[in-house]
Amino acid sequence: MGSSQSTSEEVRELVGKTGFSSDQIEQLHRRFKQLSGNQLTIRNLRKAPTGLADEINFEDFLTIMSYFRPIETNMDEEQLEHCRKEKLRFLFHMYDSDSDGRITLEEYRNVVEELLSGNPHIEKESARSIADGAMMEAASVCVGQMQPDQVYEGITFDDFLKIWQGIDIETKMHVRFLNMETIALCH
Amino acid sequence: MLPATLPLLGMPLSGAGAGVADGAAGESVLPPAGLALLRWQWHEVEAPYLVAVWILVASLAKIVFHLSRKVTSVVPESCLLILLGLVLGGIVLAVAKKAEYQLEPGTFFLFLLPPIVLDSGYFMPSRLFFDNLGAILTYAVVGTLWNSFTTGAALWGIQQAGLMAPTVRAGLLDFLLFGSLISAVDPVAVLAVFEEVHVNETLFIIVFGESLLNDAVTVVLYKVYNSFVEMGSVNVQAIDYVKGVASLFVVSLGGAAVGLVFAFLLALTTRFTKRVRIIEPLLVFLLAYAAYLTAEMASLSAILAVTMCGVGCKKYVEANISHKSRTAVKYTMKTLASCAETVIFMLLGISAVDSSKWAWDTGLVLGTLFFILLFRALGVVLQTWVLNQFRLVPLDKIDQVVMSYGGLRGAVAFALVILLDKTKVPAKDYFVATTIVVVFFTVIVQGLTIKPLVKWLKVKRSDHHKPTLNQELHEHTFDHILAAVEDVVGHHGYHYWRDRWEQFDKKYLSQLLMRRSAYRIRDQIWDVYYKLNIRDAISFVDQGGHVLSSSGLTLPSMPSRNSAAETSVTNLLRESGSGACLDLQVIDTVRSGKDREDAIMHHLLSGGLYKPRRRYKASCSRHFISEDAQARQDKEVFQQNMKRRLESFKSTKHNVCLSKSKLRLRKAGRKKDGSADKDTPNGKPHRASNLPDTAAVILAVESEEESDSSETEKEDDEGIVFVARATNEVFREHKVPGSMEVCPSPRIIPPSPTCAEKELPWKSGQGDLAVYVSSETTKIVPVDMQTGWNQSISSLESLASPPCAQAALRAAHPLACAPPRGDELRDPLAALVTPSPEPHAGFTFAPSLAKAGRSRSESSADAPEQQELQPLMAPEDRGCLSPGTANARWLIQFNRAGRL
C-alpha cells in the first residue's frame, strides 16, 4: 500500500509521534488516501487566504488528527495539563487565522459569523455584536477593570486559557478513532 | 395496569386535628332540626379539604426544616420528611386506633408521580442527557434486568437454604416479582438526594437518567411476573416468555413514542397561543399530563412518556411562549413537583406505621438489603467495565462507587408492592415490610451518608459558574470542529449525527413548531447573549448605575455599525412600539439650532423620561394580565436606566438593537408586504447611518412583550414617543470620525453627544426651538405606514413652527432637510430606508472624548442645553433636570403639548 505501510519503521515512528496505535494509523492512512485520491498529499482546495498550507501530507494529517485523540486513562496531572494545553493551542490557532498570537476582533467576528451562518435569521450584524460582546467579556475576564483609553488588542493564548478554564476540554475534544475496519461502512 | 380509581387522599387530618375533624364529621350526620343557621358540612368538603391540609402540613414541615440550615445541610429533606411521616403516622395510629392515610398506589401513580417526572423531564439538561444516552440506557435496561433477576434468584436461594421463616410462602416467581419491583432505582428518591449532593453533571445525569428510564423495564418486569404469578407457574408457556420480551420493547418504545407525539402537539399548540397568552402554562401541564395518562391507559411506560414529552417539547415551547408564561411554567412545575415529593415522602413515613400489613422476616429483610446493595455494585462495575471499552471518557472507580451507592429505592417500589394481590402472592405482607425497610434504609441511611461519602472520595463536583458568551461560542465552534473531524476521519459517530439532527431541526422542525418571531431569534448563542445582556443591565441598575468593568473598553478596529439597511421609518415606528412617532430625523441640519435641539432632546430623554400615557383605563381582564401603573413606570424607568447603561457600554452592545430592530423591520415589512421598506433607493444613504443605535436594552427587555403580545400591550398602553435625532453630518464634520457611533439616535441616549456639543457652536445658535410632539396615540405602528406618516405629519404641521434655519439648510441639502410637510417628507423617508452601501470601517473611539462624554452624560447636568428648551419647559424647571425628579413635570409638559 502506501509508503507508510511499506516500512513498519515509519509506522512505528508515527506511533511514537502521534500516539495512535498502528491499527489506527493504518485506518487513517486508508482514509487519507481516500480523501486525497491516492495522492501523497491532500491539496487545499479552498481558495484560502495566505498563511494556510497548500497541501498536507499524511504525517501532517496524522498530527492534526492526534489532537483529537481521547486522553489516556493513566495520565497524571502534569500530562493532563499538557494535553489540555496542546488541545487548546490547536483550537487557538483555528481562531487565530493570521497566527500572530492574538485573536483579534476581526478574527473572532469571522468565526462567529461562520458559526451563525447556518441560521438564516440571524443577520451578520447580530453575529458581529455577539462577537463584540464576547470580546468585551473576554477582555473583562482577562484584563479586569480597564482604563477607558486602554485598548484591548485581542485574545492571547494565555487569555484563551483563562476563558476555557471552566470547561473540561480534555473530556470533550476527542473523536473516536477506530481500530477496526468500519470505515467502509460510511461510504 | 394500575387501578385508576382511588380516592385522592382518603384520610382526615393528622394528629389532634384528625380527632376534631372526625368528631365534626360525626355530628353532621344528625338529622337537621329545623332551619339551621349554620350547618356543618364536613362530608361535602372532606376529600379536597384533606388534600389541601396534607399539602399544607407538608409545606409547613418543609418550612420548619429549612429554618435550620445546619440540619438540612446534613440531613436530606427526604429523610426528614419520612421521619415526620413516621411521627404523624404514629400520632394518627394512637388517636384513631387504626392506621389510616396510607400512600395509595393510585394516588401515587396518577397524581403524585407525574409532576415530579414532568419536572425532571422538562428541566433535564437535554444536551447532557443525549451525550450520555448510551450509558444511561445501558444502566437503565441491562442494569435493571440484572438487578431484578439476581436479587430475585438470590432471595429464592436463601429461602431454599432455609434461612427464612417457613411462613414466607413464595416460589421462584414470587421472588422474581419482588426482585423486579425492589430493584428499580427510584427517580424521586434519587432526585431528592442527588440534588443536594451536587456531584458532577455526568455522574448525576447517568444516575438520574437511569432512574427515569428504568421505569419501562420495571413496569414490564412487574407486569410480566405478576401475570405469570397469577397464571400460576405451571401454566406459563414458552410463548409467554417471548411475549414478555416483546412487551419490553412495546412498553418502552411505545411510551417514548406517546411522549414524543404529545411533545409535538404541545409545541405545535403553543405556536398559536399568541393571543391567549394566559393559557400557555396550562397547555404545557395539560398536554404533558395527557401524555402520562395516555401512556398509562395503553399500559405503556408512563414515566417514559412524560419524560420524553418534557425533553422533546422544551426547546420549542420555551421559544413560543411568552416570558411570563415561561416563568409561570417554571414555578408551577417546581411547586407541583416539590409538593408531590414532599407528600410522597411523608406518606411513606405514615404508611410504615401500619403494622397490620407488615409481616417481618429477618432473613428476608436482611437478605434483600444485602443483595440489592451487592448486586447493584456488581452490576455497576460490570456494566461500567463494558461501557468503558466504548466510552471516550471512562467512568472511574469513584464514579462507580457513587453510582452503586446512589441506587436509592423509593415510593415507586412501595406503590408497586402495595398493588400486589394478596390472594395470588401469599407472601405479600413480608414483601411489604421488606420494601418499607429497604426504602427507609436507602433513603435515610444512604441518603445521609452519601454526602460525606462524596466529600470523602473527592468526587468531582459540579461547579456552577455562570455561562459566558465565550464559552458558549467556543462550545459551538467545538461541536462543529468535532463533527468536521469525524467527517474527515471517516467515522460517522455521535457528533456527526448530532450535527445532522441539528440541521434537520433547524430546517424543518423548528420551522414547523416555532413561532416565526421565535425561530428567528432563537439560537443558543443568541440566547446566551441576550440573557447576559439582560443580566448585565440588571446588575447595572442594581448597582445604581455604576459603570461596569468592561464599559471603559475600547476595541481597535471596531467598524461602524452604520448599516442604514435596517434603519427606516418603519423601524422607528416599530420601536416606538406603542404610539405615534414624531420623527425629527428628517430635519437635517448642519450646525443649526436643530442640532442643539436634538442634543437637548437627548439629554431630556436621557434624564429618564417617562412615557406619558394618555389613557389610564382601569382594566380588569381575566385574559390578560395588565401591569399596574407603578409596575409599568418601574419598567420604563428601568429601561431608561438600561439605556444609560448601554451608552456607557459603548459601541459593542449597540448592535443588539440593530439586529433586533432588523428583525422587527422584517416583520413589519412582511406585514406590509413590501411597502416602503427597502425598495426606495435614494441618494442619501449616510443619513440613516446614525439611526441604528436604538435602545438595545429596551428591545432586549421588551422584545417579547412588544413583538409577541403587542396586541394586548398596545391597546391599553400607548404613550407619546419623542424621537429626535441629530444628523451625522454634524458629527462627521466636527468630531473624530469614530465618535460617529455615539451620535444621537432616537431612543438611545448618545453615549457622548457632548463631544459634538462641545465642538459645535451651540451657544451661537439662535434659540429657535421646535420640539415636535405628536399626540397621536393610535396604533399606526406596523400596520400602515402611510397613515402613520400622515398623522405625524399633520401633527408636525399643527404643532411646530417651522424653524427658520431650515430654509437655508434646504438649499444646502435639498434632500436632507425635512420640512414638516407631507410631500417633501417622503424623500427623506425614502432616504432613511435606503441601505447604506459603505460602512464606516475601522475607527475607534477617541477614548478621551468618550470618557468626557460619559462623565458628562452621567452627571446629566446639562444645564446649558436645557435652557434651550424653555419654551416647552415650565419655568421652574430650569436647571433642575435631574433624571428622577424632572420626569414627572416633563411628562406633564409634553402631555399638555400633545393635547394641543
Side-chain angles (χ1 to χ4, degrees):
Chain A
M1 283 173 87
S3 57
S4 67
Q5 210 212 9
S6 57
T7 50
S8 59
E9 187 61 34
E10 208 168 319
V11 173
R12 215 167 301 140
E13 195 181 306
L14 285 174
V15 167
K17 234 185 233 170
T18 60
F20 283 117
S21 71
S22 50
D23 262 0
Q24 287 170 327
I25 289 184
E26 205 174 299
Q27 285 301 325
L28 285 171
H29 188 249
R30 217 166 286 159
R31 177 66 182 164
F32 182 77
K33 282 202 296 186
Q34 207 171 25
L35 290 174
S36 64
N38 255 336
Q39 301 297 305
L40 282 180
T41 56
I42 298 179
R43 301 210 125 264
N44 187 357
L45 295 179
R46 220 164 61 155
K47 285 275 172 279
T50 52
L52 294 187
D54 282 338
E55 48 185 28
I56 54 170
N57 61 21
F58 181 57
E59 201 180 322
D60 302 333
F61 181 73
L62 266 192
T63 316
I64 296 169
M65 287 302 135
S66 72
Y67 283 110
F68 293 91
R69 240 159 18 89
I71 45 167
E72 308 283 333
T73 41
N74 50 9
M75 277 199 216
D76 57 23
E77 275 310 300
E78 203 176 312
Q79 277 172 311
L80 264 180
E81 192 50 41
H82 178 74
C83 173
R84 175 185 165 85
K85 251 195 173 149
E86 281 306 304
K87 288 185 179 215
L88 282 178
R89 194 176 293 281
F90 179 80
L91 272 187
F92 182 77
H93 286 308
M94 295 199 79
Y95 286 96
D96 182 22
S97 55
D98 61 357
S99 49
D100 61 347
R102 254 177 221 289
I103 303 170
T104 58
L105 183 62
E106 213 42 61
E107 284 161 352
Y108 210 174
R109 275 188 184 160
N110 287 341
V111 172
V112 175
E113 268 166 34
E114 295 253 328
L115 207 55
L116 292 172
S117 61
N119 187 341
H121 308 295
I122 295 214
E123 291 79 0
K124 239 180 168 173
E125 279 303 325
S126 27
R128 293 178 141 216
S129 64
I130 288 175
D132 293 354
M135 203 68 178
M136 286 285 195
E137 193 185 85
S140 58
V141 165
C142 304
V143 187
Q145 188 79 38
M146 289 186 87
Q147 298 307 310
D149 49 352
Q150 200 173 342
V151 169
Y152 189 61
E153 296 276 355
I155 303 171
T156 61
F157 184 62
D158 284 341
D159 296 348
F160 196 67
L161 287 181
K162 264 188 214 160
I163 293 166
W164 276 90
Q165 225 153 34
I167 315 169
D168 307 348
I169 179 82
E170 61 269 23
T171 61
K172 279 180 179 151
M173 184 165 167
H174 41 58
V175 166
R176 190 183 305 284
F177 292 97
L178 292 179
N179 295 314
M180 295 145 294
E181 181 70 51
T182 41
I183 286 175
L185 296 176
C186 301
H187 290 271
Chain B
M1 72 162 195
L2 301 164
T5 52
L6 247 292
L8 280 173
L9 291 157
M11 61 208 92
L13 312 181
S14 55
V20 176
D22 282 349
E27 276 165 33
S28 70
V29 189
L30 293 174
L35 179 67
L37 202 58
L38 220 130
R39 230 152 34 105
W40 201 252
Q41 295 180 318
W42 167 248
H43 282 297
E44 291 178 24
V45 295
E46 182 177 354
Y49 202 99
L50 285 173
V51 173
V53 169
W54 271 115
I55 294 174
L56 184 68
V57 168
S59 314
L60 289 179
K62 235 178 167 160
I63 295 175
V64 171
F65 295 151
H66 283 276
L67 283 181
S68 159
R69 191 175 286 266
K70 219 190 236 163
V71 174
T72 40
S73 68
V74 178
V75 189
E77 204 182 81
S78 45
C79 297
L80 288 172
L81 284 168
I82 284 195
L83 294 177
L84 173 81
L86 276 176
V87 173
L88 287 182
I91 294 171
V92 171
L93 190 67
V95 170
K97 298 282 182 277
K98 62 183 169 92
E100 271 182 282
Y101 335 129
Q102 309 277 322
L103 180 63
E104 302 289 350
T107 318
F108 173 72
F109 281 111
L110 288 182
F111 300 109
L112 294 177
L113 193 54
I116 299 174
V117 180
L118 176 62
D119 173 64
S120 43
Y122 193 76
F123 293 107
M124 173 107 68
S126 53
R127 175 74 198 269
L128 208 57
F129 179 72
F130 287 110
D131 279 0
N132 293 294
L133 192 61
I136 292 171
L137 277 178
T138 315
Y139 289 119
V141 177
V142 181
T144 310
L145 286 174
W146 154 269
N147 280 349
S148 68
F149 281 128
T150 49
T151 312
L155 285 175
W156 183 70
I158 64 166
Q159 190 220 25
Q160 295 301 94
L163 290 174
M164 278 182 216
T167 45
V168 183
R169 280 177 293 124
L172 178 59
L173 269 180
D174 298 273
F175 278 117
L176 284 177
L177 174 61
F178 179 62
S180 77
L181 66 88
I182 203 73
S183 62
V185 177
D186 183 67
V188 185
V190 165
L191 201 64
V193 169
F194 270 71
E195 267 190 345
E196 298 179 19
V197 177
H198 303 300
V199 293
N200 65 66
E201 41 193 18
T202 315
L203 194 54
F204 174 76
I205 201 76
I206 288 178
V207 177
F208 177 54
E210 176 201 345
S211 69
L212 276 178
L213 297 193
N214 67 17
D215 171 69
V217 181
T218 314
V219 166
V220 171
L221 283 179
Y222 179 81
K223 264 199 309 188
V224 169
Y225 288 138
N226 209 8
S227 45
F228 283 180
V229 168
E230 280 171 9
M231 286 190 311
S233 51
V234 275
N235 301 329
V236 177
Q237 311 280 317
I239 186 75
D240 292 322
Y241 293 110
V242 179
K243 274 187 196 161
V245 174
S247 73
L248 176 64
F249 291 98
V250 172
V251 167
S252 54
L253 296 180
V258 167
L260 289 178
V261 166
F262 274 91
F264 183 83
L265 285 179
L266 177 54
L268 201 63
T269 323
T270 50
R271 202 190 148 171
F272 302 105
T273 51
K274 189 175 172 185
R275 278 150 213 277
V276 269
R277 290 286 189 197
I278 210 79
I279 63 160
E280 278 170 347
L282 187 67
L283 278 176
V284 174
F285 290 105
L286 276 185
L287 277 165
Y289 194 44
Y292 187 89
L293 293 181
T294 310
E296 190 75 59
M297 184 177 69
S299 68
L300 302 171
S301 166
I303 293 186
L304 208 55
V306 84
T307 306
M308 291 317 280
C309 183
V311 170
C313 75
K314 182 177 186 203
K315 181 181 170 190
Y316 310 105
V317 168
E318 293 272 284
N320 281 337
I321 64 181
S322 77
H323 186 72
K324 282 171 190 157
S325 305
R326 231 174 292 154
T327 315
V329 166
K330 186 174 155 193
Y331 275 93
T332 319
M333 219 175 250
K334 292 282 176 206
T335 310
L336 284 179
S338 142
C339 269
E341 191 188 275
T342 313
V343 169
I344 286 174
F345 281 120
M346 209 165 73
L347 290 184
L348 260 183
I350 293 176
S351 315
V353 177
D354 180 12
S355 53
S356 67
K357 288 185 185 165
W358 281 54
W360 181 273
D361 182 82
T362 316
L364 180 65
V365 169
L366 290 183
T368 312
L369 273 181
F370 176 70
F371 285 131
I372 61 163
L373 287 175
L374 173 73
F375 289 123
R376 168 86 186 165
L378 213 59
V380 165
V381 170
L382 286 177
Q383 288 172 78
T384 314
W385 183 80
V386 174
L387 278 173
N388 276 348
Q389 308 296 310
F390 298 99
R391 274 181 79 87
L392 291 171
V393 190
L395 296 160
D396 55 18
K397 295 237 159 40
I398 292 174
D399 289 347
Q400 294 176 33
V401 172
V402 176
M403 278 166 63
S404 330
Y405 203 66
L408 304 180
R409 277 36 169 206
V412 172
F414 181 77
L416 286 177
V417 82
I418 293 286
L419 278 178
L420 289 178
D421 185 355
K422 179 137 197 210
T423 55
K424 299 281 167 39
V425 189
K428 180 187 171 187
D429 288 350
Y430 292 98
F431 289 156
V432 171
T434 313
T435 309
I436 288 177
V437 172
V438 166
V439 169
F440 276 38
F441 179 82
T442 53
V443 172
I444 294 179
V445 177
Q446 294 188 1
L448 270 174
T449 48
I450 198 163
K451 224 174 195 174
L453 183 79
V454 163
K455 251 185 217 143
W456 182 64
L457 288 174
K458 299 197 182 68
V459 177
K460 249 203 277 174
R461 304 293 197 91
S462 66
D463 43 343
H464 277 292
H465 49 86
K466 291 171 187 163
T468 63
L469 196 54
N470 278 298
Q471 190 176 328
E472 187 72 18
L473 282 174
H474 289 321
E475 290 195 344
H476 271 259
T477 324
F478 212 60
D479 289 343
H480 286 283
I481 292 174
L482 288 183
V485 169
E486 275 193 352
D487 213 19
V488 169
V489 174
H491 167 62
H492 289 179
Y494 171 72
H495 296 289
Y496 173 82
W497 290 111
R498 207 177 48 73
D499 203 52
R500 272 297 168 86
W501 164 256
E502 266 176 17
Q503 300 287 341
F504 172 77
D505 176 65
K506 231 171 225 168
K507 255 195 195 136
Y508 306 105
L509 266 185
S510 291
Q511 309 266 339
L512 181 65
L513 295 180
M514 277 194 204
R515 199 166 286 175
R516 270 174 186 282
S517 57
Y519 75 66
R520 279 164 195 283
I521 333 170
R522 276 280 153 173
D523 184 279
Q524 271 168 312
I525 300 176
W526 177 260
D527 219 41
V528 171
Y529 182 56
Y530 171 81
K531 277 184 194 141
L532 285 177
N533 255 356
I534 297 226
R535 205 184 62 200
D536 276 2
I538 287 174
S539 72
F540 173 78
V541 173
D542 284 349
Q543 290 164 20
H546 191 62
V547 180
L548 286 186
S549 57
S550 42
S551 61
L553 204 57
T554 315
L555 297 176
S557 74
M558 193 86 93
S560 80
R561 34 213 98 258
N562 66 334
S563 64
E566 54 267 351
T567 57
S568 75
V569 175
T570 335
N571 189 7
L572 254 187
L573 287 173
R574 284 216 41 91
E575 271 146 25
S576 55
S578 60
C581 143
L582 170 94
D583 192 40
L584 277 197
Q585 57 189 303
V586 287
I587 305 169
D588 200 7
T589 55
V590 180
R591 255 183 284 177
S592 78
K594 284 288 155 298
D595 287 326
R596 183 190 54 228
E597 207 175 87
D598 289 346
I600 292 160
M601 277 307 290
H602 289 298
H603 289 301
L604 283 185
L605 293 167
S606 75
L609 181 68
Y610 170 66
K611 264 197 278 175
R613 299 279 172 275
R614 281 255 303 224
R615 293 176 265 160
Y616 286 101
K617 64 179 177 192
S619 67
C620 171
S621 166
R622 178 168 303 177
H623 306 291
F624 303 107
I625 305 162
S626 56
E627 305 162 85
D628 55 47
Q630 187 55 48
R632 208 191 292 138
Q633 284 190 20
D634 286 349
K635 194 164 134 198
E636 286 184 26
V637 172
F638 172 73
Q639 285 157 6
Q640 294 285 351
N641 280 327
M642 302 271 226
K643 272 194 269 175
R644 242 170 300 147
R645 180 267 148 112
L646 242 144
E647 110 207 8
S648 65
F649 211 76
K650 284 284 166 314
S651 40
T652 14
K653 299 276 175 179
H654 288 192
N655 265 346
V656 194
C657 57
L658 275 201
S659 40
K660 286 263 180 181
S661 45
K662 219 196 273 178
L663 296 180
R664 222 136 334 113
L665 174 70
R666 282 246 183 110
K667 208 155 99 187
R670 192 159 40 85
K671 273 186 191 163
K672 292 187 288 113
D673 217 29
S675 60
D677 226 318
K678 298 200 176 190
D679 44 359
T680 7
N682 197 289
K684 299 223 53 139
H686 62 275
R687 293 197 66 259
S689 61
N690 47 7
L691 254 179
D693 308 335
T694 41
V697 179
I698 277 219
L699 299 189
V701 170
E702 278 190 337
S703 65
E704 193 111 29
E705 257 55 65
E706 277 189 53
S707 58
D708 290 351
S709 56
S710 47
E711 280 86 352
T712 56
E713 295 276 319
K714 258 181 236 152
E715 268 148 27
D716 59 278
D717 181 7
E718 281 156 17
I720 301 169
V721 177
F722 304 91
V723 180
R725 161 178 176 275
T727 57
N728 51 8
E729 279 87 353
V730 176
F731 300 102
R732 285 250 180 98
E733 287 164 30
H734 297 281
K735 273 169 75 180
V736 201
S739 47
M740 248 288 296
E741 301 209 282
V742 299
C743 63
S745 65
R747 295 280 300 273
I748 195 172
I749 312 330
S752 58
T754 40
C755 295
E757 287 156 21
K758 272 184 297 189
E759 296 179 32
L760 285 168
W762 293 127
K763 310 291 186 290
S764 65
Q766 33 184 324
D768 70 325
L769 176 86
V771 174
Y772 304 123
V773 179
S774 158
S775 61
E776 289 298 335
T777 48
T778 42
K779 283 206 296 182
I780 57 170
V781 180
V783 194
D784 192 349
M785 279 280 296
Q786 200 54 52
T787 3
W789 269 103
N790 290 337
Q791 279 163 346
S792 60
I793 285 157
S794 63
S795 62
L796 267 177
E797 282 168 342
S798 65
L799 280 174
S801 55
C804 48
Q806 273 185 15
L809 283 169
R810 209 179 296 173
H813 291 274
L815 276 178
C817 58
R821 228 168 276 138
D823 48 348
E824 291 181 66
L825 251 170
R826 298 255 155 81
D827 264 342
L829 165 58
L832 284 177
V833 171
T834 320
S836 160
E838 69 332 331
H840 311 270
F843 57 68
T844 355
F845 259 129
S848 56
L849 281 184
K851 198 158 87 183
R854 199 177 320 120
S855 60
R856 270 194 81 171
S857 56
E858 261 162 28
S859 68
S860 84
D862 309 310
E865 282 86 12
Q866 280 159 23
Q867 297 182 1
E868 313 292 335
L869 261 170
Q870 282 318 305
L872 260 184
M873 279 167 90
E876 67 271 20
D877 276 342
R878 183 187 291 250
C880 64
L881 196 70
S882 71
T885 53
N887 279 348
R889 257 171 284 165
W890 275 100
L891 302 189
I892 298 164
Q893 285 300 314
F894 279 121
N895 223 355
R896 220 174 275 157
R899 283 181 196 146
L900 286 179

